[in-house]
Amino acid sequence: MNNKSASPKAGKVIRCKAAICRIPGKPLVIEEIEVEPPKAWEIRIKILCTSLCHSDVTFWKSSTDLPKLPLPVIFGHEAVGVVESVGEYVEEVKERDLVLPIFHRDCGECRDCKSSKSNTCSKFGRGYRPNMPRDGTSRFRELKGDVIHHFLNISSFTEYSVVDITHVVKITPHIPLGIACLLSCGVSTGVGAAWKVAGVEVGSTVAIFGLGAVGLAVAEGARLNRASKIIGVDINPEKFEIGRLISNVSSMIEKR
């Protein structure tokens, strides 16, 4: 690493604020924590913007049909941030790059990650892992030294987080942070559902049940795939205006 451009905090423990879940279903607690420097194939990110995904709420409620969460844990997985420092062997990004953390890993090497038919990495396997994917340890500590666990390989409800390089995508610095943040999960899920899973074809008629963030992203994915008719269905009448606004914006972009 070029020491002249290196972050003054590189290689050092950072103290910052984080929203911590200690008891499922109870309010998160804002506390000061310590974030360790990244190890090999890891980067430390300064979180610039994060949003609340329904999956965070579901795990926070700790439903019995979900993997049991080790506590305490830092939730959040839909975010955008800037690279503060990088660990050994990281070549894909550098300090000050704007990046999206993504919970679904992509090693870029295995057969499945290279395939257009799958996005489930076979190198690291499936299943919920509460901490870093390579060594199973945490980069978060309470000030007294006790471990705080990661969530979905991201943990964005903190000012700084450490993420494996397989869970990061570099993006253009010109995109507004509030929009970029949604690309990390909700928008990519919806667009991918239309583009990759359903395989919407030119001239198709598409019906979408539920016009939340993911549903609207499905509509955009269907539009990009040139569906001839897109029907949105929702029991909330307020979603009609939101859907119409999104449709108008998309039409304006297409005309350009």
Side-chain angles (χ1 to χ4, degrees):
M1 182 184 298
N2 186 340
N3 291 329
K4 291 183 179 180
S5 62
S7 162
K9 299 176 182 177
K12 301 177 182 178
V13 171
I14 289 179
R15 285 194 175 188
C16 68
K17 296 292 181 65
I20 302 173
C21 175
R22 294 190 174 278
I23 302 175
K26 299 295 182 181
L28 306 184
V29 182
I30 305 297
E31 298 182 17
E32 190 172 29
I33 66 168
E34 291 186 338
V35 183
E36 297 176 356
K39 295 184 178 181
W41 293 290
E42 298 174 358
I43 66 173
R44 188 162 58 187
I45 302 171
K46 180 178 181 180
I47 302 296
L48 300 178
C49 182
T50 186
S51 57
L52 179 66
C53 176
H54 196 269
S55 297
D56 296 307
V57 177
T58 301
F59 275 89
W60 169 70
K61 290 180 179 178
S62 197
S63 173
T64 55
D65 61 349
L66 294 173
K68 186 175 181 180
L69 287 176
L71 299 171
V73 63
I74 298 174
F75 285 123
H77 64 280
E78 192 172 61
V80 63
V82 63
V83 178
E84 177 272 330
S85 58
V86 303
E88 192 176 8
Y89 308 128
V90 173
E91 299 178 350
E92 294 84 350
V93 298
K94 61 183 184 301
E95 291 174 16
R96 302 186 185 92
D97 280 345
L98 193 66
V99 294
L100 290 178
I102 50 173
F103 73 88
H104 209 70
R105 65 184 60 88
D106 182 359
C107 73
E109 300 174 354
C110 72
R111 177 179 180 180
D112 289 300
C113 285
K114 290 181 178 180
S115 171
S116 61
K117 299 179 180 179
S118 170
N119 65 343
T120 300
C121 179
S122 54
K123 179 177 180 179
F124 288 96
R126 301 184 65 179
Y128 178 79
R129 301 181 185 184
N131 292 312
M132 299 303 292
R134 296 179 193 266
D135 65 7
T137 62
S138 175
R139 303 293 173 264
F140 301 125
R141 293 287 185 277
E142 298 180 10
L143 296 188
K144 60 183 179 180
D146 292 342
V147 170
I148 303 172
H149 298 282
H150 294 247
F151 176 68
L152 292 181
N153 305 295
I154 305 300
S155 289
S156 60
F157 291 174
T158 173
E159 294 176 307
Y160 287 88
S161 187
V162 177
V163 180
D164 192 273
I165 191 59
T166 59
H167 291 275
V168 170
V169 174
K170 180 180 176 180
I171 62 172
T172 173
H174 305 298
I175 184 171
L177 298 179
I179 295 176
C181 172
L182 299 176
L183 295 173
S184 178
C185 180
V187 171
S188 56
T189 298
V191 172
W195 180 22
K196 293 290 188 179
V197 180
V200 173
E201 299 176 349
V202 175
S204 299
T205 297
V206 178
I208 304 163
F209 293 84
L211 298 177
V214 175
L216 291 173
V218 172
E220 180 62 9
R223 184 193 70 82
L224 291 171
N225 277 19
R226 299 171 62 190
S228 62
K229 182 181 292 186
I230 302 173
I231 304 168
V233 182
D234 200 296
I235 60 175
N236 183 349
E238 295 180 0
K239 297 291 183 66
F240 176 77
E241 290 300 325
I242 298 174
R244 186 168 63 177
L245 175 62
I246 296 295
S247 176
N248 290 339
V249 171
S250 296
S251 297
M252 291 172 59
I253 293 173
E254 188 171 305
K255 289 178 180 178
R256 289 182 181 179

